[in-house]
Amino acid sequence: MTHAMQPGPSHQRDAVDHLSAAHPLGTGLGALGGGIAGAATGALFGPIGMLVGVALGTIAGGVGGHRAAEHVDPTGESEYWREAHHERPYVESRYTYDTDYLPAYRFGVERRNETPQPLWDDSLESVLHEEWLHRRANSALTWQQARPAVRDAWDRVDRSYRVYEASDRYHEQRHDALRDRAPNTHFGDYRPAYRYGTWARSHWPQRDWDESLEQELERGWLRVKGTSRLSWEKARAAVREAWHAAEHVLGGNTDGQ
């Protein structure tokens, strides 16, 4: 799957809250506040392929309850920020991405992965300030210069975790009612499919669910299925259900339901 993939002024929060009330999945997604606006550019959260199992290199287990088994891949996020950092107001042209800003973005990703009960506050920031002195590699950035990049990366990873947690909770509650559910399977087999549909709807905000989209998703399924035992034919209904559930929350095309 490609790694293409953040702003969100406060006036966008009202629309998010309205969508949250209108659809159960929105209860989780709506908690992201103005960050929902990032869906318009595919930047709402990291690609599902980035949320990987530490041991298996796959999507393994749920984020909620199995957080230690998963993390967001710093390498993929580094490539995202290689392109996205150009638009960040804190970036200074006298510094380079690879030497100066990349260590800050990686630090933000890694520290969010390492923090089971994340809360960015003064206490955490004090710790990060001290750690930056030892983890900045060859970066010339002071903590005050690096802080916005670290926070950007932290927040993006945090959105990834929280969106997939919301998706997992929502679809697990409704899983038994899924049409065409494969026999002798459990929710863990379907979790990657639900996440895949959730990710896809954010990644392609202007597309309809059609044959062309299905073909693209089918080609990507083997790369994101992780430990799921489902073939694409068995996973398709769950991917589509998650696509349309996210569509209700994020807005956009609703044809084909």
Side-chain angles (χ1 to χ4, degrees):
M1 181 182 301
T2 61
H3 294 166
M5 298 292 146
Q6 163 157 59
S10 60
H11 72 269
Q12 292 156 335
R13 193 176 302 272
D14 290 341
V16 173
D17 291 340
H18 173 74
L19 288 166
S20 300
H23 195 272
L25 180 56
T27 302
L29 296 182
L32 302 182
I36 285 287
T41 59
L44 174 60
F45 52 92
I48 194 169
M50 299 300 179
L51 197 57
V52 298
V54 173
L56 301 177
T58 60
I59 302 166
V63 180
H66 299 80
R67 191 182 298 276
E70 295 187 322
H71 73 294
V72 174
D73 177 20
T75 301
E77 289 297 279
S78 297
E79 291 309 304
Y80 167 79
W81 286 112
R82 182 179 299 279
E83 299 300 322
H85 85 284
H86 295 292
E87 301 177 359
R88 310 313 284 174
Y90 52 77
V91 171
E92 301 179 50
S93 60
R94 59 193 172 118
Y95 298 112
T96 67
Y97 178 74
D98 287 296
T99 300
D100 300 304
Y101 285 103
L102 174 58
Y105 288 121
R106 289 187 65 90
F107 181 47
V109 173
E110 291 168 353
R111 287 301 278 112
R112 175 59 186 84
N113 281 332
E114 296 164 2
T115 308
Q117 299 295 331
L119 176 62
W120 186 287
D121 56 15
D122 291 342
S123 176
L124 173 67
E125 193 164 320
S126 178
V127 171
L128 296 180
H129 183 176
E130 292 299 318
E131 290 183 354
W132 173 244
L133 300 178
H134 304 288
R135 296 177 66 166
R136 67 185 194 180
N138 294 320
S139 175
L141 301 181
T142 65
W143 169 247
Q144 289 305 316
Q145 292 171 311
R147 179 191 178 281
V150 175
R151 181 66 188 267
D152 253 357
W154 170 288
D155 285 345
R156 179 173 151 86
V157 172
D158 190 56
R159 283 196 291 275
S160 294
Y161 279 116
R162 293 198 293 162
V163 167
Y164 291 127
E165 285 177 347
S167 174
D168 289 351
R169 288 194 303 270
Y170 173 75
H171 291 293
E172 186 168 18
Q173 293 171 0
R174 291 154 180 78
H175 177 63
D176 288 343
L178 179 69
R179 290 175 296 182
D180 303 322
R181 186 158 63 95
N184 302 317
T185 58
H186 51 75
F187 179 72
D189 290 312
Y190 281 85
R191 180 185 289 110
Y194 291 125
R195 290 183 178 183
Y196 192 26
T198 300
W199 169 82
R201 186 60 193 83
S202 175
H203 186 52
W204 289 300
Q206 302 304 322
R207 292 187 65 172
D208 294 312
W209 183 281
D210 56 20
E211 184 176 349
S212 174
L213 176 67
E214 282 194 28
Q215 290 174 350
E216 290 185 55
L217 293 175
E218 180 178 5
R219 287 194 292 270
W221 174 240
L222 289 177
R223 294 194 296 274
V224 303
K225 64 181 294 186
T227 57
S228 172
R229 295 172 292 176
L230 302 181
S231 64
W232 170 250
E233 288 71 23
K234 298 297 184 182
R236 175 189 174 281
V239 175
R240 178 169 177 168
E241 179 175 304
W243 167 282
H244 288 309
E247 191 166 59
H248 278 290
V249 178
L250 301 175
N253 300 321
T254 57
D255 296 339
Q257 295 189 65

